[in-house]
Amino acid sequence: MFTRTDVVIVGGGHNALVAAAYLSRAGRTVTVLERLDTTGGAAVSTRPFTGVDARLSRYSYLVSLLPRKIVRDLDLDFAVRPRTVSSYTPTVRDGRATGLLVGGGDDRTRASFARLTGGEREYAAWHRFYGTTRHAAERIFPTLTEPLPTREELRTRVADETAWRLLFEEPIGVGIEERFSDDLVRGVVLTDALIGTFADAHDPGLAQNRCFLYHVIGNGTGDWNVPVGGMGALTDALAAAARASGAELRTGHEVTRIETDGQQAEVTYRTADTDGTIAARHVLVNASPEHLARLVGDTPPPPAEGAQLKVNMLLKRLPRLKDTSVDPHEAFAGTFHVAEGYAQLATAHAEAAAGSLPSAPPSEIYCHSLTDPTILGPDLAARGYQTLTLFGLHTPARLFAGDHDTVRAALLKATLAQLDAHLAEPLEDCLAEDADGRPCIEAKTPLDLERDLRLPGGNIFHRELSFPYAQAGTGRWGVETAHANVLLCGAGAVRGGGVSGIPGHNAAMAVLGR
């Protein structure tokens, strides 16, 4: 089979769907080729537990970086809801179970800081610190859907040398230690620098700074919101928008080769029944730079490595906490930090870097269904069932290279043990069961993500994140490659990573010459 179109998009993740919708609305003919049987990539909702009517965001689960501009431009039928609590972090002080609650109003947050730290200093530092990051966010975020600024242009736009030094020049650990004294407070701040990123607070390469930046600039506020209906609601809305504009979405089509002379390209694919080729003026690749190199026959970039554990759970009820001053419905509504003190994070990184599973694996947890119960069937919701999503840190793919399943089971057990240390009842007693009587819990390591989604090394960002300014070879939009008519439109683009749609938007703008 041989056909022609204006644009072929390789891969059908959320960024591909954004690009398809923009391009088809602009009058281009667009064909999306997706290897799997459904579009959405890592931004999907599924029912992972047999016979249980709970539709979970299986891989990615919160929204911050998706610009409202994209939602408006594409007329998406999609909404998010804010969480009533930002975070809760349990700990033990002087033999007493306590914790830090951030949210529920400034007065309540201030009081929680005072109870934990014995004074006003840490709260004042917190308030100043996030005032600084918000100032930077308001100025940086709008640039993400514009042509790439130079480093100096972005620095001028930020117009705050303190913020610039904190985010772009010194390891984030320096800024944290300058501002905060309490180990737990330091750890809560640092966690945003480590989501899916294996780095120390003082890593001279600043991988942790780049991760931190993308976690605090979303829509100019840094707020992380719950997608109503789950992450699949977003990709369903994007697929509907692309189709309504005329884009053709083909699932079960695996691209095997891209040939290009810089002006015209041919994309070869296979299905269960046949092989085919599509000729196009432009090819957008919603896959990793590593996979792109294989398709075009280029030298691949340095190997990527993920460093996270993703666990999905369904509970019959939320567990009671040892800290009785906080209702579990508040504690789990935001981000529930476990074993994420500053020293604990440093120890976990050092242990993993030495080749061992962290002895106290750090993780963070939240409950989607407290903010958005629509992901549960009516019967489950009426009976008080809740979902829990856990994201573990400092578990690089290299740790699973031997006996993968045994290591995964050991890590899951150790991670849940850290959570149980703060609960008044074992989490196991709260787990729901599926139709076959099995506990409703699943765990995904970096190698699971590599197998399921072809994320290189299980890296959720496809490769190390980049600062959002132009560097040698990044091109005008940060999506360009060595081939003039082949563009990245996935997380591996400059200003990629996370559920944002930004690389898809930027690749479309590059094709349209805007």
Side-chain angles (χ1 to χ4, degrees), residues 43-324:
V44 294
S45 297
T46 58
R47 291 178 173 82
F49 307 122
T50 304
V52 179
D53 190 11
R55 195 165 181 260
L56 280 61
S57 299
R58 195 167 204 174
Y59 303 108
S60 53
Y61 49 97
L62 289 172
V63 174
S64 177
L65 291 164
L66 175 68
R68 298 184 187 95
K69 165 185 167 50
I70 291 178
V71 177
R72 291 193 304 267
D73 285 353
L74 302 182
D75 301 314
L76 298 182
D77 182 15
F78 172 72
V80 296
R81 289 179 186 164
R83 299 183 293 173
T84 56
V85 169
S86 176
S87 69
Y88 170 72
T89 309
T91 190
V92 176
R93 292 281 169 93
D94 300 323
R96 177 177 59 88
T98 184
L100 177 64
L101 182 74
V102 178
D106 289 345
D107 289 344
R108 192 167 183 204
T109 300
R110 181 185 290 108
S112 184
F113 269 90
R115 280 195 304 273
L116 180 75
T117 66
E120 295 287 330
R121 182 190 180 282
E122 293 294 272
Y123 174 76
W126 178 280
H127 194 71
R128 288 192 300 270
F129 181 86
Y130 285 105
T132 298
T133 63
R134 187 161 187 142
H135 169 90
E138 290 169 351
R139 287 152 179 80
I140 294 170
F141 191 75
T143 72
L144 301 189
T145 49
E146 300 171 356
L148 273 170
T150 66
R151 179 182 170 92
E152 286 308 309
E153 285 171 344
L154 189 62
R155 186 173 191 162
T156 299
R157 194 141 171 180
V158 170
D160 183 331
E161 285 303 304
T162 298
W164 186 263
R165 177 171 65 89
L166 172 73
L167 297 170
F168 292 91
E169 293 192 344
E170 293 183 344
I172 193 68
V174 173
I176 292 173
E177 291 170 19
E178 283 179 351
R179 291 163 174 81
F180 303 102
S181 300
D182 188 271
D183 180 85
L184 190 74
V185 176
R186 286 178 170 183
V188 173
V189 177
L190 179 61
T191 56
D192 277 337
L194 305 177
I195 303 297
T197 298
F198 187 59
D200 181 72
H202 291 275
D203 188 325
L206 303 187
Q208 74 281 26
N209 285 49
R210 296 190 291 275
C211 183
F212 184 83
L213 179 71
Y214 285 100
H215 277 87
V216 299
I217 63 173
N219 277 293
T221 66
D223 294 336
W224 286 81
N225 296 316
V226 176
V228 177
M231 198 61 77
L234 170 61
T235 44
D236 288 348
L238 285 169
R243 288 193 182 97
S245 301
E248 181 183 13
L249 310 184
R250 300 187 191 176
T251 57
H253 284 60
E254 181 176 8
V255 172
T256 58
R257 188 173 73 254
I258 299 171
E259 295 183 356
T260 179
D261 61 7
Q263 298 293 321
Q264 296 290 327
E266 290 188 356
V267 178
T268 302
Y269 64 86
R270 63 181 171 222
T271 70
D273 303 317
T274 187
D275 295 339
T277 300
I278 304 179
R281 292 182 59 192
H282 291 92
V283 179
L284 274 55
V285 179
N286 185 205
S288 68
E290 180 181 303
H291 191 64
L292 169 59
R294 289 200 296 270
L295 291 176
V296 297
D298 288 348
T299 301
E305 182 180 40
Q308 69 285 319
L309 176 73
K310 173 74 192 301
V311 183
N312 295 313
M313 294 172 269
L314 180 69
L315 308 185
K316 294 177 290 188
R317 65 181 184 282
L318 290 177
R320 293 177 287 111
L321 303 175
K322 288 182 178 178
D323 178 8
T324 57

